[in-house]
Amino acid sequence: MSTKIYSAAQVHDGCKFLPAGTGVELDEAGVVTALHADTSGLKVERLEGTICPGFVNAHCHLELSHLSGLIPEKTGLIPFLQAVTGIRAHADESQKKDARFAALRAMNQVGIVAVGDIANTTDTLDLRASDQMHFHTFVECIGFTEHGAGSRFEQGATIWKTLQKQTVRTHSLTSSLVPHAPYSVSEKLFRMIDAAQPDALLSIHNQECVAENEFFNSASGAVIDLLNGFGIDHSSFQASGKSSLQTYLPWLSKEHPIIFVHNTFTERADIQFAKQHCRSAFWCLCPNANRYIEQALPNVPMLASETENICIGTDSLASNHQLSIFAELQTLKQAFPELSWETLLRWACHEGARALQLEGTIGRLEVGKRPGLVWLPSWEERTIPQRIA
Ligand SMILES: [Zn+2]
């Protein structure tokens, strides 16, 4: 099998920058066959800018791709959720299919090689079968009333079982059953999800709005309006006097690795609590969606001072103008200039791969891995990454 060597002004291996001039040799299947510290005498394709492994989108909802441009910006989470629920009921199946395939192609083109994708339906079976990307599908359970927990669990489990029947070809296909968010899942449903898969990878929308913590602390605020708006009986709910994370995490076994998504209103005490209460905690940042919905960003420097386990997601086209991990990094760099590109690319590559349990295959330029190769012509804001292998 023939191979090709690439080098660039800067080469990031997914964790760190390698010495200038390093050459990355790949075979036709994209497997790294060698890293050359000295490329003199070798035939090398040399590029300006930076090369790095493919990116991991740790949080997306590809099944919502047809909602692109339809949901008003900057309304706050509760009106956003009401708008999504209202609109998604009336979509044409062929438009939905075209939109999700276009989104998958676009993600590929901007260097994304794996996705942690949220599913509330079986709509993305076709994307998973197309074998163009590694998928871990998080099938969500949603149900706030205790008496409805059994039927809500069965709804999710039916979708999950269908996904599990899909077979693996060149790309990894995994899935797990997960809680949607703290305010939309009863304690009973949390416990059923836990019992069904005691050490599975979980994800949860976490502390995305200030009202979520308010709800758990004092049973008041805008979450009550949301539940009332959907006609959901919350009369048996009792405030814990704690933040949402510190309330629900003890309902799950400590054996789960968990990806906490958004974390816009997560505090240092929550991060420290999570370190004690789950096997591994990953913190997924979706800054462009945070801006779209809440006009707020998480305290990223504080988070980075507590943990290395940070990964990046785009959320859906209902709450973002594009599905590009590099665009998310640009937003973080703009908001927090003290974050280095070395760290940001590590979050997008290696930490994302670890979060989705794919670090054996992707996330680093290492011999034997098939990480994809991405070219970043510059760090400038309008730079569009290009997948080159
Ligand atoms: Zn989401």
Side-chain angles (χ1 to χ4, degrees):
M1 196 182 272
S2 71
T3 62
K4 199 164 174 182
I5 303 172
Y6 295 91
S7 189
Q10 290 184 290
V11 180
H12 192 286
D13 78 347
C15 282
K16 60 183 187 306
F17 284 113
L18 297 176
T22 300
V24 183
E25 185 171 343
L26 303 165
D27 70 15
E28 287 163 3
V31 176
V32 179
T33 52
L35 291 173
H36 301 276
D38 180 4
T39 54
S40 48
L42 297 173
K43 188 179 171 220
V44 179
E45 177 150 345
R46 290 183 197 282
L47 300 157
E48 298 292 310
T50 304
I51 53 174
C52 67
F55 299 131
V56 176
N57 184 353
H59 181 77
C60 191
H61 303 242
L62 281 163
E63 68 182 18
L64 299 182
S65 298
H66 60 287
L67 301 182
S68 179
L70 294 181
I71 313 285
E73 292 187 51
K74 302 176 176 52
T75 60
L77 180 64
I78 307 296
F80 172 83
L81 290 173
Q82 288 162 334
V84 169
T85 313
I87 291 176
R88 78 179 286 181
H90 322 275
D92 171 78
E93 287 304 322
S94 77
Q95 280 174 354
K96 281 165 68 178
K97 183 174 181 179
D98 289 349
R100 65 179 173 263
F101 269 96
L104 185 74
R105 272 195 306 277
M107 289 213 305
N108 252 316
Q109 281 164 3
V110 293
I112 295 166
V113 296
V115 63
D117 193 38
I118 300 288
N120 298 105
T121 67
T122 52
D123 287 359
T124 52
L125 278 168
D126 49 11
L127 298 185
R128 288 163 54 95
S130 73
D131 222 17
Q132 296 175 51
M133 190 164 299
H134 302 288
F135 268 82
H136 184 99
T137 304
F138 296 105
V139 180
E140 280 182 342
C141 290
I142 303 180
F144 190 72
T145 57
E146 296 278 327
H147 64 81
S151 65
R152 291 311 189 101
F153 177 81
E154 282 309 320
Q155 276 177 23
T158 303
I159 296 169
W160 180 40
K161 282 174 195 154
T162 308
L163 295 179
Q164 283 189 312
K165 287 184 196 142
Q166 282 193 301
T167 50
V168 181
R169 285 179 290 175
T170 60
H171 286 68
S172 166
L173 286 181
T174 51
S175 58
S176 49
L177 205 54
V178 304
H180 163 256
Y183 53 81
S184 62
V185 175
S186 64
E187 177 179 344
K188 187 171 175 187
L189 187 50
F190 264 100
R191 293 189 186 280
M192 292 179 85
I193 293 165
D194 179 52
Q197 14 148 48
D199 58 0
L201 173 63
L202 301 183
S203 89
I204 183 165
H205 292 88
N206 181 63
Q207 296 172 307
E208 189 176 353
C209 64
V210 101
E212 182 181 314
N213 283 330
E214 196 183 352
F215 179 63
F216 283 90
N217 260 309
S218 59
S220 61
V223 168
I224 301 278
D225 303 336
L226 177 75
L227 296 173
N228 287 340
F230 289 132
I232 294 167
D233 175 19
H234 53 83
S235 54
S236 61
F237 176 76
Q238 293 201 330
S240 63
K242 297 174 185 164
S243 73
S244 72
L245 182 146
Q246 294 183 43
T247 307
Y248 70 76
L249 211 46
W251 299 339
L252 297 167
S253 125
K254 289 186 179 180
E255 295 307 308
H256 297 284
I258 303 181
I259 303 176
F260 298 94
V261 181
H262 291 303
N263 315 305
T264 325
F265 298 93
T266 301
E267 297 192 357
R268 196 180 290 276
D270 296 315
I271 299 163
Q272 291 171 348
F273 187 89
K275 283 182 191 167
Q276 301 296 322
H277 284 81
C278 61
R279 177 151 62 98
S280 76
F282 271 87
W283 305 88
C284 180
L285 305 176
C286 308
N288 287 338
N290 298 150
R291 284 214 161 139
Y292 193 112
I293 299 171
E294 286 279 339
Q295 284 188 282
L297 291 179
N299 186 345
V300 180
M302 182 276 288
L303 182 61
S305 73
E306 284 289 333
T307 179
E308 296 208 322
N309 293 358
I310 299 173
C311 54
I312 309 292
T314 59
D315 219 343
S316 72
L317 283 172
S319 62
N320 206 335
H321 299 290
Q322 73 276 306
L323 305 179
S324 164
I325 291 298
F326 192 63
E328 303 295 325
L329 299 185
Q330 290 280 5
T331 298
L332 289 174
K333 182 69 179 168
Q334 229 175 41
F336 307 104
E338 66 270 37
L339 297 173
S340 68
W341 280 112
E342 186 161 61
T343 297
L344 289 166
L345 289 179
R346 178 166 58 79
W347 294 349
C349 301
H350 180 61
E351 300 303 335
R354 287 181 59 227
L356 294 185
Q357 304 182 328
L358 288 166
E359 70 271 29
T361 316
I362 61 167
R364 283 198 81 170
L365 301 178
E366 272 182 345
V367 172
K369 292 193 171 144
R370 191 164 62 98
L373 194 66
V374 176
W375 177 44
L376 305 169
S378 82
W379 301 120
E380 277 163 31
E381 204 192 323
R382 288 173 199 281
T383 299
I384 296 176
Q386 286 178 42
R387 179 90 182 262
I388 54 176

